Amino acid sequence: MDANNTLQEIHEALFPEIHVVASMSHSHMIELMKMVDSFDIKTRGMTDFRHHSKWLLLYEEENTVDLPEFIYLENVVAVLHHYKCWMKSVLTLKHHLARNEWVPVAACSQRNINLCYFPNAAYGYNNRRLLVTTLEVNVYTVKSINNGTTQYKGYAIDVLDTIAASLNFSYFITEPQDQSWGVPINDTYDGIVRQLNRTEVDLAACNLIINEGRSAFMEYIYPPIRTEYIDVVYKRHDKQRSTSLFLLALPLRPMAVLILLLMAGLCTLLLAVFENEDFGWNETAAESEDEGFTSVKKVKQNLLGACWEVTGSLFRQGFSKYPRTLPGKVLVTSWWMLLMVMTTVYCANLVAAMSVQTDVKPFSDVEGLLDSDYSVGIRIGINSHTLKSSVPSSVNGRIWSKISANVPVFLESNVGVHFKRVRSEKYAFLGHSSIINRLMAEDCQLELLGESVLWLQLAFGLPQRSPLKADFEKVMSQLAASGILDVIWAKWTVKRNRTHCLQKRILKSITVTQMGGGFIVVCAGTGLSIIVLCLEKLIHLRQN
């Protein structure tokens, strides 16, 4: 029969519980085990007889059997029997660094009897060596070279080390030659996705974005190691002080001005009435009709004076003539208290408006970014492919149009290149929120838009139909449920420290433009005074 096809069918039908019972001559037994042991190598790790198969060997010989050192099947039990006694002895295979050793199975006192017969099962993958691929990206994988030795660390590497400790395997890290994560090219993918599709590696330990197109060429390990989103980082290059001609009116909101005018008008009217010496104080005078007309006439005369006093009090906090009546004194006292509060608040806000440097954000959302004069960039990868495949009229489609207008300069794969452009010119970079937060943690000049462009789920990857999937997902589920993933993430998460970003106090002179509103008020007052003078002159001439 075709041994390779038969073994493949057995693996597909029985995996992960493959049990083998063999009763044959010693030479045939060795031949069979060598064939199965080498089959995992032929399939490039797509089968796993070595770890998931359990062997029961029935020998007719009386002597102890030996296995070649290059056979790495982990779970093997040999039963030796004699014609006088069916079971003479039971031996189990133990692996050592230098050789394999047959050990007699003694009386089993463990709850799990399988561990007595298959002790290697307690050691997971028994230090199997896996080939792992990754790419350097801040937070998740950080690459360094010390004394000619390449070292990797980061969140993804810590998660990989935790899984390796749980399953008992070692690994060697490599990188794709094209330094790509996996972008669609001619109905296939390049980079890490191509390595997995061709079974060139056993595992991808990095922040691979879960994408439906990639799923046809590889498999993901669930649950994901992290959920993130794409945000925008930029630098505000235009920081200007307030130069409005209406600077004097900036501290006052329209509602405050309206309330102040209404209160001033009401106080003016009440003060004119209260200061009328004949109003409400002389009942006999009130009974006379002629004296009533006289009282109303006096109120009208007092109205102009009260209006001038109230208006003047807004600027100099006082009256030229103090009220004579008790109601007038109470009214003026409450009016002054209101003016004291409003004047204090107004002066404080006016000083702040004239001395504080105002930072004006160039945009507050993605729509504003698209309409601004900022250029936009992103790293080449599945994110750029997602934006490229979006509807041109959508927000994502418009973002890609703005990015593609600068290709290939604005699609550099190195994050450091993007951040240099952000710091030196009007440039906004789209990247993972965690990576952006770490790189801008100590840079007070950079700003985060705070609006998610794309939501992402990041996971490890395996070749399709990889026998490692079930074991890895079991461990990953335990790490997620127990909170260990969050603990590891907290180790690599950097929160932005704003305590060292205190604004420098710089004494700056007041410009003519800033005081323009005051000059306008003076000019308007001068013009009004001239008009009043002319009116008084005309009235005087008419009376003469």
Side-chain angles (χ1 to χ4, degrees):
M1 64 178 69
D2 188 339
N4 292 333
N5 289 339
T6 302
L7 291 175
Q8 185 67 45
E9 292 176 359
I10 291 174
H11 191 277
E12 293 177 357
L14 302 179
F15 186 84
E17 298 293 337
I18 306 174
H19 305 300
V20 181
V21 179
S23 178
M24 59 185 70
S25 64
H26 179 67
S27 59
H28 289 157
M29 196 84 72
I30 296 299
E31 183 180 358
L32 173 62
M33 297 180 71
K34 288 172 57 178
M35 178 175 60
V36 176
D37 188 62
S38 62
F39 185 70
D40 288 342
I41 301 177
K42 293 180 180 179
T43 60
R44 296 183 178 180
M46 291 300 99
T47 59
D48 195 1
F49 284 100
R50 172 184 173 183
H51 179 69
H52 287 279
S53 65
K54 294 180 179 178
W55 293 69
L56 179 60
L57 309 181
L58 304 179
Y59 279 98
E60 297 180 357
E61 286 85 352
E62 295 184 2
N63 299 325
T64 303
V65 296
D66 294 324
L67 290 178
E69 295 181 358
F70 53 81
I71 292 182
Y72 299 103
L73 295 172
E74 298 173 1
N75 303 304
V76 181
V77 170
V79 178
L80 303 181
H81 59 92
H82 191 262
Y83 67 95
K84 292 183 179 181
C85 178
W86 189 87
M87 181 179 294
K88 180 180 180 181
S89 60
V90 180
L91 306 176
T92 183
L93 185 66
K94 270 197 171 183
H95 290 287
H96 297 275
L97 294 178
R99 58 188 177 83
N100 300 325
E101 181 182 6
W102 288 102
V103 179
V105 176
C108 185
S109 60
Q110 303 184 33
R111 292 183 178 181
N112 190 348
I113 300 179
N114 279 331
L115 292 180
C116 296
Y117 293 95
F118 304 104
N120 293 325
Y123 303 104
Y125 286 151
N126 288 279
N127 201 30
R128 183 190 305 183
R129 192 172 181 84
L130 302 181
L131 183 59
V132 179
T133 183
T134 189
L135 275 177
E136 181 181 11
V137 58
N138 213 332
V139 179
Y140 289 92
T141 306
V142 181
K143 180 180 178 181
S144 61
I145 300 177
N146 297 324
N147 298 325
T149 303
T150 303
Q151 298 178 348
Y152 295 87
K153 59 182 181 179
Y155 172 66
I157 303 302
D158 283 356
V159 174
L160 175 62
D161 289 337
T162 305
I163 298 175
S166 178
L167 295 177
N168 189 23
F169 67 84
S170 60
Y171 60 85
F172 176 79
I173 294 182
T174 185
E175 297 182 18
Q177 293 183 353
D178 55 8
Q179 295 292 300
S180 174
W181 296 88
V183 180
I185 297 178
N186 299 328
D187 298 330
T188 185
Y189 280 76
D190 63 0
I192 291 179
V193 178
R194 180 171 59 186
Q195 286 182 303
L196 295 173
N197 185 46
R198 295 181 177 180
T199 64
E200 297 175 357
V201 294
D202 300 307
L203 170 70
C206 53
N207 52 322
L208 271 179
I209 299 174
I210 297 179
N211 176 265
E212 184 178 358
R214 287 176 171 176
S215 299
F217 297 86
M218 55 164 288
E219 292 187 7
Y220 294 99
I221 299 176
Y222 294 99
I225 60 172
R226 198 68 193 166
T227 299
E228 283 204 30
Y229 60 91
I230 296 295
D231 209 330
V232 180
V233 61
Y234 65 96
K235 179 182 177 181
R236 285 184 280 178
H237 293 273
D238 298 329
K239 294 186 177 182
Q240 300 178 352
R241 299 176 65 184
S242 301
T243 57
S244 174
L245 292 177
F246 302 97
L247 181 63
L248 295 178
L250 287 179
L252 295 175
R253 295 294 179 91
M255 183 59 68
V257 175
L258 178 60
I259 294 176
L260 182 63
L261 293 178
L262 291 177
M263 292 298 297
L266 180 61
C267 288
T268 300
L269 179 60
L270 293 177
L271 186 61
V273 174
F274 293 160
E275 286 301 291
N276 182 15
E277 58 185 7
D278 296 328
F279 182 79
W281 300 100
N282 192 346
E283 297 181 358
T284 58
E287 295 176 356
S288 173
E289 184 176 356
D290 293 336
E291 290 181 357
F293 280 111
T294 302
S295 177
V296 174
K297 184 177 180 180
K298 289 183 179 181
V299 170
K300 292 181 179 179
Q301 292 176 352
N302 292 334
L303 186 61
L304 181 60
C307 180
W308 178 254
E309 293 289 347
V310 171
T311 303
S313 67
L314 292 172
F315 300 95
R316 59 187 181 86
Q317 302 180 9
F319 280 67
S320 60
K321 297 180 180 180
Y322 292 101
R324 293 169 298 167
T325 62
L326 180 61
K329 292 179 180 180
V330 174
L331 178 65
V332 170
T333 301
S334 60
W335 174 250
W336 282 350
M337 293 179 64
L338 173 64
L339 289 181
M340 289 175 61
V341 174
M342 294 195 63
T343 303
T344 303
V345 175
Y346 173 81
C347 292
N349 283 272
L350 182 61
V351 171
M354 296 177 64
S355 60
V356 174
Q357 184 170 329
T358 304
D359 293 344
V360 181
K361 289 187 175 183
F363 42 81
S364 59
D365 52 19
V366 177
E367 291 285 352
L369 171 62
L370 295 175
D371 297 333
S372 68
D373 57 347
Y374 275 66
S375 301
V376 181
I378 192 174
R379 295 182 65 189
I380 296 178
I382 198 64
N383 294 327
S384 60
H385 177 71
T386 302
L387 295 176
K388 184 178 181 180
S389 59
S390 302
V391 179
S393 59
S394 64
V395 175
N396 290 343
R398 293 172 58 194
I399 292 176
W400 177 251
S401 298
K402 197 173 183 69
I403 295 175
S404 59
N406 304 282
V407 171
V409 177
F410 288 71
L411 288 174
E412 295 285 348
S413 59
N414 191 346
V415 177
V417 175
H418 288 283
F419 269 79
K420 287 182 180 179
R421 299 185 69 89
V422 170
R423 294 184 179 96
S424 61
E425 58 188 85
K426 290 186 176 181
Y427 178 74
F429 171 62
L430 277 67
H432 292 186
S433 57
S434 61
I435 300 174
I436 290 177
N437 286 328
R438 187 174 184 87
L439 291 176
M440 64 185 291
E442 300 299 328
D443 195 334
C444 301
Q445 297 180 337
L446 301 182
E447 295 290 338
L448 197 64
L449 183 60
E451 184 173 351
S452 58
V453 179
L454 293 173
W455 283 96
L456 311 171
Q457 284 190 316
L458 312 176
F460 286 178
L462 290 170
Q464 288 183 315
R465 299 179 299 278
S466 172
L468 303 176
K469 184 176 176 63
D471 294 331
F472 272 69
E473 288 191 340
K474 180 180 179 180
V475 176
M476 190 68 74
S477 298
Q478 294 172 351
L479 296 180
S482 61
I484 295 179
L485 288 181
D486 295 331
V487 173
I488 299 175
W489 178 254
K491 173 184 175 182
W492 295 96
T493 302
V494 176
K495 294 183 179 180
R496 195 170 191 188
N497 183 13
R498 281 288 192 177
T499 57
H500 69 288
C501 296
L502 300 177
Q503 297 292 334
K504 296 181 179 179
R505 299 181 179 274
I506 301 176
L507 181 62
K508 294 185 178 182
S509 59
I510 300 176
T511 62
V512 176
T513 306
Q514 288 180 292
M515 294 299 300
F519 293 127
I520 292 177
V521 173
V522 172
C523 294
T526 303
L528 181 61
S529 64
I530 294 175
I531 294 174
V532 172
L533 177 63
C534 295
L535 291 176
E536 288 183 348
K537 188 65 177 178
L538 291 176
I539 294 174
H540 181 70
L541 292 175
R542 183 178 179 182
Q543 290 177 350
N544 291 337

